[in-house]
Amino acid sequence: MFPKINIAIDGYSSCGKGTLAKQLAQHFEYVFIDSGSMYRAVTLYLLNHQVDVELNEAVHPLLEQIELDFKYNSINKRYEIHLNGENVEPFIRDLKVSSKVSMVAKNSDVRRKLVEMQKKMGISKGVVMDGRDIGTVVFPDAELKIFMTASVEVRAQRRFDEMNKMGEAVIYEDILQNLTQRDFIDSSRDDSPLTLTNDYRVLDNSKLSQAEQFEIAKTWVEEIVLIEGKP
Ligand code: CDP
């Protein structure tokens, strides 16, 4: 039996972090946690309560009303986010939430609350978590840190196709603009910005299929697990 490790996957918006995380989790029987879904669920709650998400005086008092949970969905074979008991997976990825989530994620009170929960999820190892600050803040000791990237046009096209498939009427330019704006806010914010440090392995998947990116990452995990397992 090989020891379990934690895998941190960080990178720009919509570059396939979730897809890779899911592939690795299924293959190694790890737990996959999408940390972005937590920021999205908080954003949904604030928008539903007509709060100006840029005003901490407005956001802060509502945070204690927010309870987040992940529950396993055996049909989709993944953990899904529940906001105050309700499964909000179907609502958190629409453009209304996407257009505000990076402003919410700049808020240090929000980050403190979510990072505390995320750290607890990794205590027993065997977790693949994707986000922006997983390798730098949430699991600074993760045995494997992957930084994913792809050109912004490729990312926008993928997100466009994904939303189209779900039957949502979206405009490619709106998605491109949203990704560019979120990349900028996520990389330049004061609290836990998306940062490529030299302990990450970089995976540019602009020209890789899902199978090819998985092969690369799987080899990295196997390499590390073998080293960790040596007496
Ligand atoms: O799916 P996509 O890559 O577009 O984004 P996401 O992972 O769902 O994250 C949504 C937003 O949450 C990001 O643009 C960040 O602003 C924020 N986020 C963050 O600040 N820290 C994380 N660990 C994860 C997400």
Side-chain angles (χ1 to χ4, degrees), residues 64-123:
E64 63 183 30
Q65 301 170 9
I66 298 177
E67 207 164 293
L68 299 178
D69 262 318
F70 281 96
K71 294 202 177 117
Y72 191 69
N73 177 329
S74 55
I75 297 165
N76 297 340
K77 294 208 178 95
R78 58 169 293 178
Y79 284 86
E80 294 181 334
I81 187 93
H82 287 61
L83 166 64
N84 295 337
E86 185 197 355
N87 184 343
V88 288
E89 283 286 340
F91 315 116
I92 57 174
R93 262 164 270 277
D94 73 32
L95 265 183
K96 248 194 292 166
V97 174
S98 296
S99 67
K100 294 290 179 195
V101 62
S102 289
M103 293 310 299
V104 173
K106 276 172 77 167
N107 183 307
S108 292
D109 292 339
V110 172
R111 300 204 74 81
R112 208 170 301 118
K113 177 179 169 97
L114 301 191
V115 167
E116 192 188 314
M117 288 178 65
Q118 293 156 0
K119 280 179 180 287
K120 284 190 190 142
M121 295 173 195
I123 287 174

Side-chain angles (χ1 to χ4, degrees), residues 14 17 35 40 102 105 111 132-133 159 182 186 189:
S14 215
K17 301 181 297 292
S35 71
R40 287 174 178 275
S102 289
R111 300 204 74 81
R132 305 293 185 288
D133 59 341
R159 180 56 57 103
R182 277 200 288 137
D186 293 344
R189 67 183 178 220

Side-chain angles (χ1 to χ4, degrees), residues 71 77 90 106 124 178 200 220:
K71 294 202 177 117
K77 294 208 178 95
K106 276 172 77 167
S124 319
N178 175 254
Y200 280 95
W220 288 343

Side-chain angles (χ1 to χ4, degrees), residues 11-66:
Y12 297 105
S13 294
S14 215
C15 61
K17 301 181 297 292
T19 303
L20 179 67
K22 238 180 283 172
Q23 290 171 316
L24 291 172
Q26 260 170 28
H27 182 82
F28 291 101
E29 296 185 0
Y30 279 21
V31 171
F32 160 48
I33 301 288
D34 169 5
S35 71
S37 69
M38 300 167 76
Y39 291 92
R40 287 174 178 275
V42 170
T43 306
L44 180 69
Y45 186 86
L46 297 173
L47 292 178
N48 285 346
H49 287 77
Q50 279 95 41
V51 163
D52 179 346
V53 301
E54 296 186 34
L55 281 183
N56 190 40
E57 307 88 272
V59 171
H60 182 83
L62 267 71
L63 291 182
E64 63 183 30
Q65 301 170 9
I66 298 177

